[in-house]
Amino acid sequence: MCAHRVLLGEESLEAALGAGALPVDARRQVRERLGRESRQTLLLAKWHAESPVRRLRQGRGGSGR
């Protein structure tokens, strides 16, 4: 399991998200971006683990590394 810790500076909200931005907007955006990045990382790891080259190397008696 992976956990992320983010410190949001309220003084930077408007500069980052535009006028009228609230902490709840920043939390939602950070959560969405981190979730998207985590899913992308897991998909790449899955692709690597299932890649034909990895299977070929394992099939030749290798450790798969």
Side-chain angles (χ1 to χ4, degrees), residues 9 11 15 23 26 34-35 38 46 50:
E11 65 281 355
L34 287 174
S38 292
K46 180 180 185 286
E50 295 174 346

Side-chain angles (χ1 to χ4, degrees), residues 29-40:
Q29 186 165 358
V30 167
R31 184 177 177 96
E32 288 172 2
R33 285 185 181 187
L34 287 174
R36 188 169 42 248
E37 293 293 326
S38 292
R39 282 188 298 279
Q40 185 64 29

